[in-house]
Short mmCIF file of all heavy atoms in Angstrom, two decimals:
data_model
loop_
_atom_site.label_atom_id
_atom_site.label_comp_id
_atom_site.label_asym_id
_atom_site.label_seq_id
_atom_site.Cartn_x
_atom_site.Cartn_y
_atom_site.Cartn_z
N LEU M 126 13.69 -48.35 8.32
CA LEU M 126 12.60 -49.18 7.81
C LEU M 126 13.10 -50.11 6.71
O LEU M 126 12.72 -51.29 6.66
CB LEU M 126 11.47 -48.30 7.29
CG LEU M 126 10.89 -47.30 8.31
CD1 LEU M 126 9.74 -46.53 7.70
CD2 LEU M 126 10.47 -48.01 9.58
N GLU M 127 13.95 -49.62 5.84
CA GLU M 127 14.53 -50.46 4.79
C GLU M 127 15.46 -51.50 5.39
O GLU M 127 15.42 -52.68 5.02
CB GLU M 127 15.29 -49.59 3.79
CG GLU M 127 15.93 -50.38 2.66
CD GLU M 127 16.61 -49.46 1.65
OE1 GLU M 127 15.89 -48.87 0.82
OE2 GLU M 127 17.85 -49.31 1.72
N LEU M 128 16.29 -51.09 6.33
CA LEU M 128 17.21 -52.02 6.97
C LEU M 128 16.48 -53.16 7.65
O LEU M 128 16.88 -54.33 7.55
CB LEU M 128 18.08 -51.26 7.98
CG LEU M 128 19.08 -52.09 8.80
CD1 LEU M 128 20.12 -52.73 7.88
CD2 LEU M 128 19.75 -51.21 9.84
N LEU M 129 15.39 -52.87 8.33
CA LEU M 129 14.68 -53.87 9.13
C LEU M 129 13.80 -54.81 8.31
O LEU M 129 13.35 -55.84 8.83
CB LEU M 129 13.82 -53.18 10.19
CG LEU M 129 14.60 -52.57 11.36
CD1 LEU M 129 13.67 -51.75 12.24
CD2 LEU M 129 15.30 -53.64 12.18
N ARG M 130 13.55 -54.49 7.04
CA ARG M 130 12.71 -55.36 6.24
C ARG M 130 13.30 -56.76 6.06
O ARG M 130 12.59 -57.71 5.74
CB ARG M 130 12.49 -54.74 4.85
CG ARG M 130 11.45 -53.64 4.80
CD ARG M 130 10.03 -54.15 5.00
NE ARG M 130 9.69 -55.21 4.09
CZ ARG M 130 9.30 -55.05 2.84
NH1 ARG M 130 9.23 -53.83 2.31
NH2 ARG M 130 8.98 -56.08 2.08
N GLN M 131 14.61 -56.93 6.26
CA GLN M 131 15.22 -58.24 6.10
C GLN M 131 14.89 -59.18 7.25
O GLN M 131 15.15 -60.39 7.16
CB GLN M 131 16.74 -58.09 5.95
CG GLN M 131 17.44 -57.43 7.12
CD GLN M 131 18.85 -57.00 6.76
OE1 GLN M 131 19.59 -57.75 6.13
NE2 GLN M 131 19.23 -55.81 7.14
N PHE M 132 14.30 -58.64 8.30
CA PHE M 132 13.83 -59.47 9.42
C PHE M 132 12.32 -59.68 9.30
O PHE M 132 11.61 -58.86 8.71
CB PHE M 132 14.16 -58.80 10.76
CG PHE M 132 15.63 -58.61 10.99
CD1 PHE M 132 16.21 -57.37 10.87
CD2 PHE M 132 16.44 -59.69 11.33
CE1 PHE M 132 17.56 -57.17 11.08
CE2 PHE M 132 17.80 -59.51 11.53
CZ PHE M 132 18.37 -58.25 11.41
N PRO M 154 6.09 -53.24 7.99
CA PRO M 154 5.86 -54.57 8.55
C PRO M 154 6.72 -54.84 9.78
O PRO M 154 7.65 -55.65 9.77
CB PRO M 154 6.21 -55.50 7.39
CG PRO M 154 7.24 -54.74 6.62
CD PRO M 154 6.85 -53.30 6.73
N THR M 197 17.36 -63.35 10.17
CA THR M 197 17.16 -63.62 8.74
C THR M 197 17.82 -62.56 7.87
O THR M 197 17.32 -62.22 6.80
CB THR M 197 15.66 -63.68 8.43
OG1 THR M 197 15.03 -62.46 8.88
CG2 THR M 197 15.01 -64.86 9.12
N TYR M 279 19.98 -40.53 4.47
CA TYR M 279 19.33 -41.81 4.21
C TYR M 279 20.39 -42.80 3.76
O TYR M 279 21.06 -42.60 2.74
CB TYR M 279 18.27 -41.67 3.12
CG TYR M 279 17.42 -42.92 2.93
CD1 TYR M 279 16.14 -42.99 3.45
CD2 TYR M 279 17.91 -44.03 2.24
CE1 TYR M 279 15.36 -44.12 3.29
CE2 TYR M 279 17.14 -45.16 2.08
CZ TYR M 279 15.86 -45.21 2.60
OH TYR M 279 15.10 -46.34 2.45
N THR M 282 20.56 -49.50 2.01
CA THR M 282 21.09 -50.84 2.30
C THR M 282 20.57 -51.89 1.33
O THR M 282 20.85 -53.07 1.49
CB THR M 282 20.75 -51.25 3.74
OG1 THR M 282 19.33 -51.16 3.95
CG2 THR M 282 21.46 -50.34 4.74
N VAL M 283 19.79 -51.46 0.33
CA VAL M 283 19.40 -52.34 -0.77
C VAL M 283 20.23 -51.96 -1.98
O VAL M 283 20.38 -50.79 -2.30
CB VAL M 283 17.90 -52.21 -1.09
CG1 VAL M 283 17.56 -52.96 -2.37
CG2 VAL M 283 17.06 -52.73 0.07
N GLY M 284 20.79 -52.96 -2.65
CA GLY M 284 21.65 -52.71 -3.80
C GLY M 284 22.86 -53.62 -3.75
O GLY M 284 22.76 -54.78 -3.34
N ARG M 303 22.11 -57.05 -1.91
CA ARG M 303 20.77 -57.20 -1.35
C ARG M 303 19.80 -56.70 -2.42
O ARG M 303 19.66 -55.49 -2.63
CB ARG M 303 20.64 -56.40 -0.05
CG ARG M 303 19.33 -56.59 0.70
CD ARG M 303 19.33 -55.78 1.96
NE ARG M 303 18.04 -55.80 2.62
CZ ARG M 303 17.60 -54.82 3.43
NH1 ARG M 303 18.38 -53.79 3.68
NH2 ARG M 303 16.41 -54.91 3.99
N ASP M 304 19.16 -57.61 -3.11
CA ASP M 304 18.37 -57.25 -4.28
C ASP M 304 17.10 -56.50 -3.94
O ASP M 304 16.69 -55.61 -4.67
CB ASP M 304 18.03 -58.51 -5.08
CG ASP M 304 19.26 -59.10 -5.76
OD1 ASP M 304 20.19 -58.33 -6.08
OD2 ASP M 304 19.28 -60.33 -5.97
N LYS M 305 16.46 -56.85 -2.84
CA LYS M 305 15.24 -56.14 -2.44
C LYS M 305 15.18 -56.10 -0.92
O LYS M 305 15.89 -56.84 -0.23
CB LYS M 305 13.99 -56.79 -3.02
CG LYS M 305 13.79 -58.25 -2.70
CD LYS M 305 12.53 -58.78 -3.40
CE LYS M 305 12.23 -60.22 -3.03
NZ LYS M 305 13.28 -61.15 -3.51
N ALA M 306 14.33 -55.23 -0.42
CA ALA M 306 14.31 -54.96 1.02
C ALA M 306 14.02 -56.21 1.85
O ALA M 306 14.54 -56.36 2.96
CB ALA M 306 13.31 -53.87 1.33
N ALA M 307 13.19 -57.11 1.34
CA ALA M 307 12.83 -58.30 2.11
C ALA M 307 13.95 -59.34 2.14
O ALA M 307 13.86 -60.32 2.88
CB ALA M 307 11.56 -58.92 1.54
N ASP M 308 15.00 -59.14 1.33
CA ASP M 308 16.12 -60.09 1.30
C ASP M 308 17.14 -59.77 2.39
O ASP M 308 17.27 -58.63 2.83
CB ASP M 308 16.84 -60.02 -0.05
CG ASP M 308 16.00 -60.51 -1.21
OD1 ASP M 308 15.03 -61.24 -0.94
OD2 ASP M 308 16.32 -60.17 -2.36
N GLY M 309 17.88 -60.81 2.78
CA GLY M 309 19.05 -60.59 3.61
C GLY M 309 20.20 -60.07 2.76
O GLY M 309 20.13 -60.02 1.53
N THR M 310 21.28 -59.68 3.43
CA THR M 310 22.45 -59.17 2.74
C THR M 310 23.51 -60.26 2.65
O THR M 310 23.88 -60.85 3.67
CB THR M 310 23.03 -57.96 3.49
OG1 THR M 310 22.01 -56.99 3.68
CG2 THR M 310 24.19 -57.34 2.72
#
Side-chain angles (χ1 to χ4, degrees):
L126 303 183
E127 180 177 282
L128 177 63
L129 287 172
R130 282 290 306 279
Q131 60 195 316
F132 298 104
T197 55
Y279 188 102
T282 55
V283 171
R303 185 179 173 206
D304 291 331
K305 56 183 184 295
D308 293 341
T310 306

